[in-house]
Amino acid sequence: AQKVTQAQTEISVVEKEDVTLDCVYETRDTTYYLFWYKQPPSGELVFLIRRNSFDEQNEISGRYSWNFQKSTSSFNFTITASQVVDSAVYFCALSEDNYGQNFVFGPGTRLSVLP
Amino acid sequence: EPEVTQTPSHQVTQMGQEVILRCVPISNHLYFYWYRQILGQKVEFLVSFYNNEISEKSEIFDDQFSVERPDGSNFTLKIRSTKLEDSAMYFCASSGGSSYNEQFFGPGTRLTVL
């Protein structure tokens, strides 16, 4: 069965610092999909990125970047020049199914960005 | 942009009462899901639904729970006799259309059982 681990329970940084959130996954499938979601204090789940297992290119979107390393089964998320609005819980998730089923979330990392 | 909607945003009920949480998935999606998040904990899968039947369910989804797609747009989660430990945020999600492997989540319904 698939599993997602986010070893960092809570992280605090000061505004403008860079921060990396770790995600390690386990799966027996060769085809799978990885996701990051943000959950701000208001509670909704905000989609950030989807990556399939065949695409190991790193991705950058503004201040966000993701580092996918199949060799270490990791899909880490970096926020550059963090802002107070980045304060949220961030979830990494894994799906082994082509139709979005078998969706497993990690335990989440609570990021606090202090002014 | 199409989105998943959920009603109500917050439901308060007495222990032992039945509740129905409602969701309207994205219209061309074929797969529907319910997740639960107890306060401060991780998001847990409850059930997935496809072609008018449950395709997968977790251990949490016991006989107290049921899902239904009563018409072409709504997807409901019923809890027959609520317990205190059912208090949580319940998220509905859907997938399909052009993005099969991405689930789109609704804003959640916060259920409080007193």
Side-chain angles (χ1 to χ4, degrees):
Chain A
Q2 70 269 41
K3 184 179 173 184
V4 177
T5 302
Q6 295 177 256
Q8 304 145 309
T9 308
E10 293 192 38
I11 301 176
S12 285
V13 298
V14 177
E15 209 171 14
K16 296 184 185 172
E17 284 184 3
D18 298 348
V19 58
T20 295
L21 310 181
D22 297 334
C23 173
V24 173
Y25 61 91
E26 291 177 31
T27 176
R28 293 181 188 162
D29 281 15
T30 54
T31 301
Y32 51 89
Y33 306 87
L34 295 162
F35 304 79
W36 276 94
Y37 284 86
K38 174 182 180 179
Q39 188 174 44
S42 48
E44 74 273 24
L45 287 168
V46 178
F47 167 79
L48 296 178
I49 190 171
R50 175 185 75 241
R51 173 66 71 216
N52 74 53
S53 53
F54 297 111
D55 183 0
E56 283 196 76
Q57 275 192 327
N58 291 331
E59 178 150 345
I60 298 174
S61 175
R63 296 184 297 108
Y64 295 168
S65 62
W66 290 270
N67 184 345
F68 178 28
Q69 299 272 353
K70 277 178 88 167
S71 59
T72 56
S73 297
S74 65
F75 186 45
N76 296 338
F77 171 34
T78 297
I79 302 174
T80 303
S82 59
Q83 300 175 1
V84 173
V85 293
D86 295 327
S87 297
V89 180
Y90 290 86
F91 292 97
C92 182
L94 166 70
S95 172
E96 292 176 336
D97 188 275
N98 195 39
Y99 298 99
Q101 301 200 80
N102 297 319
F103 217 83
V104 171
F105 280 83
T109 296
R110 180 176 299 280
L111 174 65
S112 298
V113 181
L114 308 172
Chain B
E1 188 175 327
E3 57 183 18
V4 177
T5 59
Q6 291 185 242
T7 54
S9 57
H10 190 188
Q11 172 102 38
V12 181
T13 189
Q14 294 288 329
M15 191 170 59
Q17 294 295 306
E18 173 183 287
V19 294
I20 297 177
L21 310 183
R22 291 184 166 79
C23 168
V24 179
I26 293 173
S27 61
N28 65 341
H29 282 183
L30 303 175
Y31 297 83
F32 314 111
Y33 313 85
W34 283 101
Y35 291 84
R36 178 182 83 175
Q37 186 184 30
I38 294 170
L39 186 64
Q41 299 186 23
K42 72 174 183 178
V43 180
E44 300 172 293
F45 168 76
L46 290 178
V47 65
S48 60
F49 191 86
Y50 170 71
N51 201 25
N52 283 319
E53 60 183 26
I54 291 173
S55 50
E56 195 173 349
K57 60 182 180 179
S58 71
E59 293 173 353
I60 303 168
F61 194 88
D62 61 22
D63 292 343
Q64 291 284 80
F65 292 90
S66 62
V67 289
E68 196 177 31
R69 189 153 161 83
D71 52 44
S73 60
N74 289 287
F75 179 51
T76 62
L77 174 70
K78 182 193 290 186
I79 309 175
R80 287 191 183 81
S81 178
T82 50
K83 308 182 190 108
L84 295 176
E85 54 265 36
D86 293 327
S87 294
M89 181 78 94
Y90 289 82
F91 291 100
C92 172
S94 68
S95 67
S98 59
S99 298
Y100 276 104
N101 48 51
E102 177 184 344
Q103 294 188 10
F104 292 79
F105 284 81
T109 292
R110 181 168 297 286
L111 176 65
T112 301
V113 182
L114 303 175

